[in-house]
């Protein structure tokens, strides 16, 4: 955070508070990584179970902020919530123009739709918007937000963290666009993220586009995957070096078309957006387990 003394005492206080939060976060991340380095990392199934326990049930205002509900304290006094999806739609449009993707959107899928910050911007463009999430209450909130802006059918798909491929069984048809924002960093492990990529590829129709945001690992020890769940430090669980995610996406059958980097924004830091395309000649896979 940069110091801006022109804001006066209030600005200086905010700046000091911001620095304190940053130091506290780095200290917490260091502690968690020391534990992982000492061989105390958790298995994927243990992280999945703790993640399920955290996300499945509403847990007050901080949970609502973490789930990006519009009325949560982090969002209710600014237009940040609206800007999240607006920026994502603009980025999608830019990428779509670049690759000349202009088909009608029969179905858009969002993995980890949360309280609908993206859904309210993308759903009006689609015949059907499918929101996948862990929490039934979050899906209800997302449905409410979509209904407030358009008549597009909203289809909620609830999955358990331990069974992501359940989404394939519930969504029995292809989608044109697959979206995932502010979720890959919360996934239990980088390997789990690869499974979500494979599911995205399976769901997409030939020629379909995926826009996926990940947190990137910049080589510093503190930015590597953590492999330990902590509800007080949700982000940074799973990160990827940028070229590694590119290669991973190719390994899952995608053609990466564009990367957009956001080193820092109002919510966090080190974000990379990948625009991925499924080949025109590839078939729509069935609901087989994609592993
Ligand atoms: C930070 S919110 C992001 C919401 C929305 N994508 C946005 O950009 O505003 C994270 C959401 O991901 C969901 N989530 C967490 N782990 C998940 C997983 N393994 N699969 C699908 N959704 C998950 C949470 O329940 C929560 O609603």
């Amino acid at each position: 955070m940069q110091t801006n003394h022109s804001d006066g005492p209030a600005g200086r206080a905010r700046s000091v508070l911001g620095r304190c939060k940053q130091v506290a976060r780095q200290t917490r991340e260091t502690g968690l990584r020391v534990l992982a380095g000492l061989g105390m990392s958790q298995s994927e199934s243990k992280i999945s179970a703790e993640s399920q326990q955290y996300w499945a049930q509403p847990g007050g205002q901080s949970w609502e902020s973490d789930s990006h509900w519009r009325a949560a304290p982090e969002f209710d006094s600014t237009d940040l919530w609206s800007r999240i999806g607006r920026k994502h739609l603009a980025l999608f449009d830019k990428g779509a123009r670049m690759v000349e993707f202009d088909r009608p959107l029969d179905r858009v899928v969002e993995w980890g739709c949360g309280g609908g910050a993206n859904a309210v911007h993308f759903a009006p463009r689609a015949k059907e918007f499918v929101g996948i999430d862990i929490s039934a209450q979050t899906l209800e909130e997302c449905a409410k937000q979509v209904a407030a802006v358009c008549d597009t059918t909203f289809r909620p798909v609830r999955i358990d963290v331990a069974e992501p491929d359940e989404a394939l069984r519930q969504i029995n048809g292809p989608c044109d666009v697959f979206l995932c924002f502010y979720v890959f960093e919360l996934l239990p492990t980088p390997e789990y993220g690869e499974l979500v990529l494979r599911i995205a590829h399976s769901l997409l129709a030939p020629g379909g586009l995926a826009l996926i945001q990940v947190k990137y690992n910049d080589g510093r020890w503190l930015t590597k995957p953590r492999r330990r769940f902590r509800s007080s430090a949700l982000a940074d669980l799973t990160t990827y070096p940028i070229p590694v995610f590119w290669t991973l996406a190719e390994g899952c059958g995608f053609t990466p078309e564009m990367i957009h980097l956001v080193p820092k924004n109002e919510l966090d830091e080190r974000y990379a957006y990948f625009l991925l395309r499924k080949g025109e000649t590839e078939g729509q896979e069935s609901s087989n387990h994609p592993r």
Side-chain angles (χ1 to χ4, degrees):
M1 176 172 288
Q2 290 188 341
T3 309
N4 184 356
H5 293 298
S6 63
D7 281 354
R12 277 197 292 279
R14 268 201 303 278
S15 167
V16 170
L17 186 65
R19 272 203 301 277
C20 290
K21 277 187 180 166
Q22 203 176 7
V23 170
R25 180 177 173 165
Q26 274 178 359
T27 309
R28 202 172 49 214
E29 285 295 332
T30 306
L32 289 166
R33 280 175 172 80
V34 167
L35 286 176
L38 291 171
M40 294 169 77
S41 54
Q42 294 173 318
S43 64
E44 186 178 289
S45 57
K46 172 84 176 145
I47 301 172
S48 294
E50 294 197 10
S51 174
Q52 174 73 25
Q53 203 176 355
Y54 179 75
W55 290 109
Q57 290 299 327
Q61 290 188 329
S62 67
W63 179 91
E64 289 182 8
S65 284
D66 291 339
S67 305
H68 290 188
W69 283 31
R70 183 175 210 151
E74 190 168 2
F75 303 111
D76 76 344
S77 58
T78 67
D79 69 342
L80 177 57
W81 190 85
S82 301
R83 271 185 283 130
I84 291 175
R86 206 180 313 133
K87 282 189 180 170
H88 288 156
L89 183 62
L91 182 63
F92 175 81
D93 282 343
K94 193 170 169 185
R97 275 195 302 278
M98 195 183 81
V99 300
E100 297 177 355
F101 176 91
D102 55 5
R103 66 171 66 170
L105 302 184
D106 286 336
R107 180 179 284 152
V108 172
V109 170
E110 184 180 6
W111 192 279
C113 60
N118 303 295
V120 295
H121 293 277
F122 284 88
R125 299 268 192 96
K127 274 197 197 136
E128 182 185 64
F129 188 96
V130 180
I132 302 172
D133 210 286
I134 305 305
S135 153
Q137 286 86 350
T138 275
L139 288 166
E140 274 170 30
E141 170 67 14
C142 189
K144 192 178 91 186
Q145 296 295 341
V146 169
V149 295
C150 64
D151 293 331
T152 301
T153 306
F154 175 78
R155 177 133 71 105
V157 170
R158 208 203 60 76
I159 56 166
D160 283 351
V161 178
E163 297 200 33
D165 44 333
E166 174 59 23
L168 276 178
R169 282 186 280 275
Q170 290 194 46
I171 307 168
N172 51 356
C175 65
D176 304 293
V177 171
F178 178 97
L179 306 167
C180 189
F181 306 116
Y182 294 109
V183 176
F184 260 70
E185 67 209 71
L186 313 171
L187 299 181
T189 63
E191 297 76 31
Y192 185 111
E194 180 178 357
L195 179 56
V196 174
L197 271 176
R198 291 195 185 284
I199 294 171
H201 190 267
S202 296
L203 282 172
L204 279 166
L209 279 186
L211 183 58
I212 295 178
Q213 178 206 41
V214 302
K215 260 194 147 195
Y216 59 85
N217 158 356
D218 61 13
R220 284 176 301 144
W221 179 67
L222 267 179
T223 68
K224 293 191 173 159
R226 189 179 338 112
R227 295 185 191 270
R228 257 193 103 76
F229 184 85
R230 255 308 178 284
S231 59
S232 56
L234 293 163
D236 285 308
L237 192 49
T238 285
T239 59
Y240 300 87
I242 292 165
V244 168
F245 195 78
W246 178 285
T247 311
L248 200 62
E250 283 181 325
C252 295
F254 282 112
T255 302
E257 299 278 8
M258 174 186 94
I259 302 181
H260 174 75
L261 296 185
V262 179
K264 192 161 178 52
N265 67 13
E266 289 144 294
L267 289 167
D268 208 342
E269 58 183 25
R270 286 181 289 106
Y271 285 116
Y273 293 82
F274 288 78
L275 184 72
L276 308 171
R277 187 154 204 172
K278 178 165 173 170
E280 289 286 357
T281 52
E282 291 179 62
Q284 155 81 30
E285 284 114 81
S286 66
S287 58
N288 292 335
H289 196 298
R291 259 198 227 258

